[in-house]
Amino acid sequence: MAKYMPDITYNEFKRDLKAIEEANQIYDSTTAFDISKQLRAVRLRIDNNAKEKALMEILNETYARYLNEEITAEQALPFSETIAGMSYTDASEYIHVIKNNIACVEEYRQIYADAKTAFDEEDYFKVMSLAKLPVIDSHDEKYQELFETISKEAYENGKTYYMDLLNDYVDSGDKEQAVALMTAIAECYGDEIELDETKRRMAEDWQLAYCNLILDEAAWASDLSGGDNGRYVLNHNYDKIKPNAFVLYDIDDDGIPEIFLYNAENAGDDYVSCLIYTYKDNAAKYVGFVNVKSFCRDSYLICYPFAFDREGGDEDSLVAFDGYSLSQVSYVQKIGESYYVNGEETDDVGYLSERTTILKHAEAYNVGNSKGASTEEGESFILAY
């Protein structure tokens, strides 16, 4: 049989490749199969270099049509795989590049679609969050530009939108929503949006007092110097107990919590050394420095020890809080093999009986396992209480 002239064969081959593409676009599998059969015969009569050139051109044209959104991935991929199946060299390898690129484009377009929906719903934080996803190369300049544009618009629109929303929360007294939104604004915009005025508007007086206190190291040292326990630690190991964290706990259940300042790195499993403050007479008032073992349900704390000048040993001390100060109610000690109740030696039965009475007041949590914050970043935590 006479061989076709190369230019005619090449054009014929490309024509039939196009026919397969059209059959694929309308999901006409019968036509596509028939043409594929015809092509199998044609490709035997075409120069291999010309065949590969035609296959590569068709693959690139198909991919370009996909990028231009003339056809979908569902239309482009089956046809591309059919074309690649006719090759044993370049085109058969190139199909893997095409499939990977299409997968990347599909992923990127879906992320953009999610961002566009969020933008239309004025969820600008979500748009900016999606824009930060570590996605692989989009391979799609059009959608990349669209995404960059919508991200910039979301960032700018969010400044006004979220501040207006924050003011609405503050005006309506919805503190929980206001604090959550204020935190999100600070994380997104940093110093670009000033929040100090809003914080002052929403804070109660005790919160403002505590916000100042957690950064006032001079006040801590001054207050410690006024009590026996405080003077002892100030002179001996202040560096180990110097606060860098705190928790809030309402000892007397009056609606305003006390603040327990402590050093997170040196907090023990059994007790935590704390500077305790309460809010009275429009100011943060120093209550005392104690080693807190447990919070209690009824205006008490369990400490170890309450008085630092006592002989050391295992100790549980029940301490009462009257709203202004702490006072010892009772304590038990085990020193070596000896037992004591309120400083008087006793037997193990008397010790265990009094210790059980003390521990009945204890809660299941203490300073160490309660949710708190660092002194440097604790303002939002206080305002959220």
Side-chain angles (χ1 to χ4, degrees), residues 139-238:
H139 296 287
D140 191 337
E141 292 183 2
K142 172 185 174 182
Y143 274 82
Q144 190 170 342
E145 291 176 3
L146 288 172
F147 210 159
E148 290 174 356
T149 298
I150 201 174
S151 298
K152 291 176 181 177
E153 290 181 5
Y155 186 84
E156 293 302 322
N157 291 1
K159 293 178 183 179
T160 301
Y161 176 79
Y162 287 122
M163 282 306 297
D164 288 344
L165 184 59
L166 178 59
N167 288 327
D168 289 343
Y169 286 149
V170 173
D171 292 341
S172 65
D174 193 341
K175 180 184 288 187
E176 183 176 353
Q177 291 276 28
V179 170
L181 179 55
M182 187 165 55
T183 301
I185 290 172
E187 289 176 353
C188 180
Y189 292 101
D191 296 335
E192 195 168 344
I193 292 182
E194 176 58 60
L195 294 171
D196 287 347
E197 182 180 347
T198 304
K199 291 175 182 177
R200 286 192 292 271
R201 284 178 54 210
M202 65 186 296
E204 296 181 24
D205 291 340
W206 69 265
Q207 291 173 310
L208 291 174
Y210 285 175
C211 285
N212 292 330
L213 175 66
I214 61 175
L215 299 176
D216 193 350
E217 185 178 344
W220 310 338
S222 175
D223 292 331
L224 277 171
S225 67
D228 292 339
N229 287 355
R231 280 193 295 272
Y232 178 86
V233 297
L234 196 59
N235 294 329
H236 291 83
N237 60 348
Y238 179 64

Side-chain angles (χ1 to χ4, degrees), residues 35 53 89 92 113 172 204 225-226 231 233 240 291 349 385:
I35 298 173
K53 177 183 176 183
T89 54
S92 65
S172 65
E204 296 181 24
S225 67
R231 280 193 295 272
V233 297
K240 289 185 177 180
N291 295 323
V349 175
Y385 186 86

Side-chain angles (χ1 to χ4, degrees), residues 281-297:
D281 304 324
N282 301 316
K285 299 290 187 181
Y286 178 64
V287 173
F289 177 83
V290 292
N291 295 323
V292 179
K293 295 186 77 171
S294 176
F295 292 133
C296 297
R297 296 178 293 276

Side-chain angles (χ1 to χ4, degrees), residues 15-222:
R15 180 201 66 201
D16 287 344
L17 290 174
K18 286 285 189 182
I20 285 184
E21 181 181 18
E22 291 173 4
N24 271 276
Q25 307 318 312
I26 60 174
Y27 304 101
D28 184 350
S29 58
T30 301
T31 302
F33 177 77
D34 290 342
I35 298 173
S36 294
K37 238 172 115 180
Q38 178 184 340
L39 273 171
R40 279 196 291 273
V42 171
R43 69 179 182 176
L44 296 176
R45 308 195 312 267
I46 186 172
D47 175 79
N48 193 60
N49 290 333
K51 180 188 73 173
E52 288 298 323
K53 177 183 176 183
L55 292 175
M56 291 290 285
E57 284 183 0
I58 291 294
L59 282 175
N60 281 318
E61 289 171 8
T62 302
Y63 181 58
R65 291 182 64 204
Y66 163 72
L67 285 181
N68 291 331
E69 298 182 272
E70 298 171 24
I71 57 175
T72 65
E74 289 75 13
Q75 293 171 316
L77 284 171
F79 170 66
S80 298
E81 289 174 345
T82 299
I83 296 303
M86 299 177 187
S87 168
Y88 298 105
T89 54
D90 295 347
S92 65
E93 296 174 1
Y94 189 50
I95 182 60
H96 300 297
V97 176
I98 295 292
K99 290 172 69 174
N100 179 71
N101 286 5
I102 288 178
C104 293
V105 171
E106 287 295 296
E107 178 183 2
Y108 197 79
R109 287 180 179 178
Q110 183 57 56
I111 294 172
Y112 172 76
D114 294 341
K116 183 64 168 64
T117 298
F119 185 89
D120 293 340
E121 295 173 352
E122 296 184 309
D123 189 352
Y124 301 122
F125 283 142
K126 183 175 181 179
V127 177
M128 290 181 275
S129 175
L130 290 170
K132 294 177 182 177
L133 286 177
V135 294
I136 46 187
D137 190 347
S138 70
H139 296 287
D140 191 337
E141 292 183 2
K142 172 185 174 182
Y143 274 82
Q144 190 170 342
E145 291 176 3
L146 288 172
F147 210 159
E148 290 174 356
T149 298
I150 201 174
S151 298
K152 291 176 181 177
E153 290 181 5
Y155 186 84
E156 293 302 322
N157 291 1
K159 293 178 183 179
T160 301
Y161 176 79
Y162 287 122
M163 282 306 297
D164 288 344
L165 184 59
L166 178 59
N167 288 327
D168 289 343
Y169 286 149
V170 173
D171 292 341
S172 65
D174 193 341
K175 180 184 288 187
E176 183 176 353
Q177 291 276 28
V179 170
L181 179 55
M182 187 165 55
T183 301
I185 290 172
E187 289 176 353
C188 180
Y189 292 101
D191 296 335
E192 195 168 344
I193 292 182
E194 176 58 60
L195 294 171
D196 287 347
E197 182 180 347
T198 304
K199 291 175 182 177
R200 286 192 292 271
R201 284 178 54 210
M202 65 186 296
E204 296 181 24
D205 291 340
W206 69 265
Q207 291 173 310
L208 291 174
Y210 285 175
C211 285
N212 292 330
L213 175 66
I214 61 175
L215 299 176
D216 193 350
E217 185 178 344
W220 310 338
S222 175

